C-alpha cells in the first residue's frame, strides 16, 4: 500500500518509507494484484485521505483533538492487519482497499489537527524553525528506512518487513499517550500580547507592564 507523508512532529500516523516499499511489493508480487486492482486500491487511499481532511474539524469538535488523534493513531496499526494476513483473491483486495482508506483517513485527520495545534502554540518567530525540524524528522528518515526495509525483505521476506513497519506505527501511539495533548478537549485559543505583538496561548499569563517598557541604563541614557 502507498502512504502519503504526514509531516508531523512526534505523532506521525503513516508508516515509514520502508513500509511503503514493502507494501507495494507485497501487493504486486506476493498477492498478484493486477493493474486494475492496484489502481482501485490507490483510489481508495485517495478517498480515505480526502475524507479525513474534510471531517477532521468536525471530529475534533465532537471528541476533542487529543482523544481523536489518539484513537486514530491506535487504529492505524490495526488497519495493517489485512495486508499482513491477506492471500490472493478479490475479497482480500476489497479488504485491503477498505483498510487503506481507513488508514489514510486517520492519517489525514491526525495530520491536519496536529499541525493546527503546533501552529497555535508556536511563536510566529519560531514557526520556520519548527517546520524545518518537523520536516527533517519525518523526511530525513526515508533514505535510511527504504534500504533497511529492502534488506529485511531480502533476508526474511516481505511480510517480515511489513511486520517491522507495523510495529513502528505503535511509536506515535506511545508518544501521544505520554503527552499532555492526549487529554486536550479543545484546540488552544490564541490571544494577542498586551503590547499588540505576536499571538500567544490564551492560558499563558501576560508579562507585567514594566517588563514591556524599554530598559534604560543608569544616568537616563537608553
Amino acid at each position: 500500500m502507498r502512504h502519503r507523508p504526514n509531516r508531523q512532529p512526534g505523532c506521525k500516523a503513516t508508516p515509514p518509507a520502508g513500509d511503503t516499499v514493502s507494501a507495494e511489493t507485497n501487493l504486486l508480487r506476493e498477492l498478484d494484484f493486477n493493474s486494475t486492482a492496484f489502481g482501485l486500491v490507490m483510489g481508495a487511499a485517495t478517498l480515505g485521505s480526502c475524507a479525513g481532511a474534510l471531517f477532521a474539524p468536525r471530529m475534533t469538535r465532537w471528541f476533542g483533538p487529543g482523544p481523536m488523534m489518539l484513537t486514530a493513531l491506535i487504529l492505524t496499526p490495526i488497519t495493517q492487519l489485512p495486508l499482513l494476513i491477506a492471500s490472493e483473491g478479490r475479497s482480500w483486495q476489497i479488504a485491503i482497499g477498505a483498510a487503506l482508506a481507513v488508514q489514510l483517513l486517520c492519517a489525514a485527520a491526525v495530520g491536519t489537527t496536529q499541525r493546527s495545534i503546533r501552529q497555535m502554540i508556536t511563536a510566529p518567530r519560531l514557526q520556520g524553525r519548527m517546520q524545518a525540524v518537523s520536516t527533517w524528522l519525518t523526511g530525513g528518515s526515508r533514505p535510511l528506512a527504504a534500504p533497511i526495509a529492502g534488506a529485511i525483505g531480502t533476508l526474511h521476506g516481505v511480510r517480515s518487513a511489513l511486520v517491522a513497519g507495523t510495529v513502528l506505527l505503535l511509536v506515535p501511539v506511545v508518544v501521544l499517550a505520554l503527552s499532555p495533548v492526549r487529554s486536550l478537549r479543545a484546540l488552544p485559543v490564541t490571544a494577542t500580547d498586551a503590547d499588540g505583538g505576536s499571538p500567544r496561548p490564551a492560558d499563558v499569563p501576560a508579562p507585567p507592564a514594566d517588563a514591556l517598557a524599554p530598559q534604560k541604563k543608569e544616568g537616563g541614557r537608553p
Side-chain angles (χ1 to χ4, degrees):
M1 297 188 302
R2 187 177 184 83
H3 305 277
R4 303 296 182 188
N6 180 36
R7 296 179 179 85
Q8 68 174 76
C11 300
K12 189 173 182 292
T14 52
D19 194 37
T20 302
V21 176
S22 303
E24 291 182 345
T25 302
N26 188 54
L27 291 180
L28 295 173
R29 189 177 67 183
E30 304 293 333
L31 300 181
D32 197 25
F33 272 42
N34 57 33
S35 57
T36 301
F38 188 77
L40 289 174
V41 169
M42 296 299 101
T46 303
L47 292 177
S49 184
C50 290
L54 289 174
F55 288 102
R58 186 173 300 179
M59 291 188 291
T60 299
R61 290 194 300 269
W62 288 346
F63 308 109
M68 186 274 287
M69 289 193 296
L70 185 59
T71 302
L73 290 177
I74 293 173
L75 287 175
T76 300
I78 296 176
T79 58
Q80 285 283 97
L81 294 180
L83 186 62
L84 297 178
I85 63 177
S87 57
E88 297 182 16
R90 181 169 298 178
S91 59
W92 280 113
Q93 294 174 357
I94 295 173
I96 291 174
L100 178 58
V102 174
Q103 183 178 112
L104 293 196
L105 184 152
C106 294
V110 172
T112 56
T113 303
Q114 64 85 21
R115 287 189 186 95
S116 299
I117 295 173
R118 187 177 65 190
Q119 292 178 352
M120 289 177 177
I121 65 175
T122 303
R125 63 185 179 86
L126 298 177
Q127 290 282 346
R129 185 180 303 177
M130 171 269 297
Q131 182 60 42
V133 172
S134 173
T135 302
W136 176 71
L137 289 174
T138 56
S141 63
R142 295 183 183 183
L144 297 176
I148 290 175
I152 295 174
T154 301
L155 297 175
H156 304 286
V158 175
R159 290 183 187 270
S160 298
L162 288 173
V163 170
T166 303
V167 172
L168 287 177
L169 289 175
L170 298 175
V171 175
V173 178
V174 176
V175 172
L176 185 59
L178 297 177
S179 168
V181 178
R182 71 183 184 279
S183 57
L184 191 64
R185 307 297 299 187
L187 292 174
V189 179
T190 56
T192 304
D193 288 336
D195 61 347
S198 60
R200 58 176 176 80
D203 55 350
V204 176
D210 55 354
L212 300 175
Q215 300 295 323
K216 294 184 178 181
K217 295 183 179 179
E218 186 177 355
R221 293 184 179 181

